[in-house]
Amino acid sequence: QSALTQPASLSVSPGQSITISCTGTSSDIGAFDYVSWFQQHPGTAPKLIIYDVSRRPSGVSYRFSGSKSGNTASLTISGLQAEDEADYYCSSYSSSVLGGVFGTGTKVTVL
Amino acid sequence: EVQLVESGGGLVQPGGSLRLSCAASAFTFSTCAMTWVRQAPGKGLEWVSTISGSGGEIYYSGSVKGRFTISRDNSKNTLYLQMNSLRAEDTAIYYCAKDRYSYITLGLDYWGQGILVTVSS
């Protein structure tokens, strides 16, 4: 079962924007609009920040946005703040595994 | 407030069994698919299994298929994960999570606090 591919780490200064990519295949991201993004701080459970490719749950900052093109999904965080320093994971339904798949995870550091 | 509370974790020997439970409250349990996700120490998230709101559709990852069984009791608002033939590589924090929909999408909007399962002799 292959995970979706994300960059291992990204570093950015406060106030800047970053985009995290999540590359899959035509059996997952490319086939379904069930891409989600999660934020996880150390020692805590993940938190849903984007679902259905680009929808934000109630209470999630407008600074988080999601999109998809072909087999790649993206999470953009604008106006980075210290509290955004965390691990980020994408996920999708996959018809090849007949179930779910997570991304490899991206550690975001706010310099 | 939505709550998911896992129980049943602990230390087990290789080849042993454990049953995890996840007690849900403050939402209509039967209308939401439920998922188990695990995270090995220092590693990323791994999808384990999902059951639809009705219980009629079940999905497993290849790494647990044939060894783990997911189930739910909608009358008790409780999700279960029966884990048999446990291996060292099953050592992880196990989270139960609620899907936004009655079917699998991995739009997991609420998560439990997680429970540690350690497989070791």
Side-chain angles (χ1 to χ4, degrees):
Chain A
Q1 179 175 341
S2 298
L4 306 173
T5 302
Q6 300 180 230
S9 62
L10 291 171
S11 299
V12 62
S13 299
Q16 292 188 328
S17 296
I18 60 167
T19 297
I20 302 171
S21 62
C22 172
T23 302
T25 69
S26 57
S27 297
D28 39 65
I29 292 176
F32 305 97
D33 286 337
Y34 293 143
V35 178
S36 298
W37 289 90
F38 302 89
Q39 176 192 62
Q40 186 180 34
H41 290 107
T44 69
K47 173 188 175 183
L48 180 69
I49 54 174
I50 295 289
Y51 69 99
D52 293 356
V53 177
S54 59
R55 296 177 182 266
R56 263 192 323 273
S58 174
V60 172
S61 172
Y62 68 92
R63 298 185 298 104
F64 294 93
S65 62
S67 63
K68 184 183 89 166
S69 177
N71 297 338
T72 300
S74 300
L75 172 71
T76 297
I77 312 173
S78 59
L80 260 289
Q81 301 177 359
E83 67 207 48
D84 299 328
E85 185 165 291
D87 293 325
Y88 292 84
Y89 296 90
C90 58
S91 72
S92 174
Y93 175 75
S94 168
S95 60
S96 64
V97 302
L98 293 177
V101 61
F102 278 99
T104 50
T106 298
K107 182 176 182 60
V108 170
T109 300
V110 181
L111 300 171
Chain B
E1 181 186 352
V2 170
Q3 279 202 319
L4 298 170
V5 180
E6 300 100 338
S7 61
L11 175 64
V12 62
Q13 292 189 338
S17 299
L18 275 180
R19 187 174 88 153
L20 304 183
S21 298
C22 173
S25 60
F27 67 98
T28 307
F29 185 68
S30 63
T31 65
C32 299
M34 297 295 295
T35 289
W36 288 99
V37 175
R38 68 185 181 184
Q39 188 168 33
K43 303 297 184 182
L45 302 177
E46 179 186 6
W47 172 77
V48 173
S49 181
T50 297
I51 185 168
S52 65
S54 68
E57 293 161 341
I58 287 174
Y59 310 82
Y60 295 104
S61 72
S63 59
V64 307
K65 194 168 186 178
R67 300 187 299 123
F68 290 11
T69 302
I70 192 172
S71 62
R72 63 191 298 158
D73 185 336
N74 286 345
S75 68
K76 295 182 178 179
N77 289 354
T78 303
L79 173 73
Y80 303 100
L81 185 68
Q82 177 67 43
M83 303 186 294
N84 298 332
S85 303
L86 282 161
R87 306 165 179 167
E89 54 264 37
D90 295 318
T91 294
I93 294 173
Y94 285 72
Y95 296 100
C96 72
K98 165 192 169 296
D99 205 301
R100 291 183 61 89
Y101 302 100
S102 62
Y103 50 91
I104 182 172
T105 69
L106 267 70
L108 305 173
D109 57 356
Y110 287 93
W111 294 63
Q113 81 284 0
I115 194 157
L116 180 62
V117 172
T118 303
V119 184
S120 175
S121 54

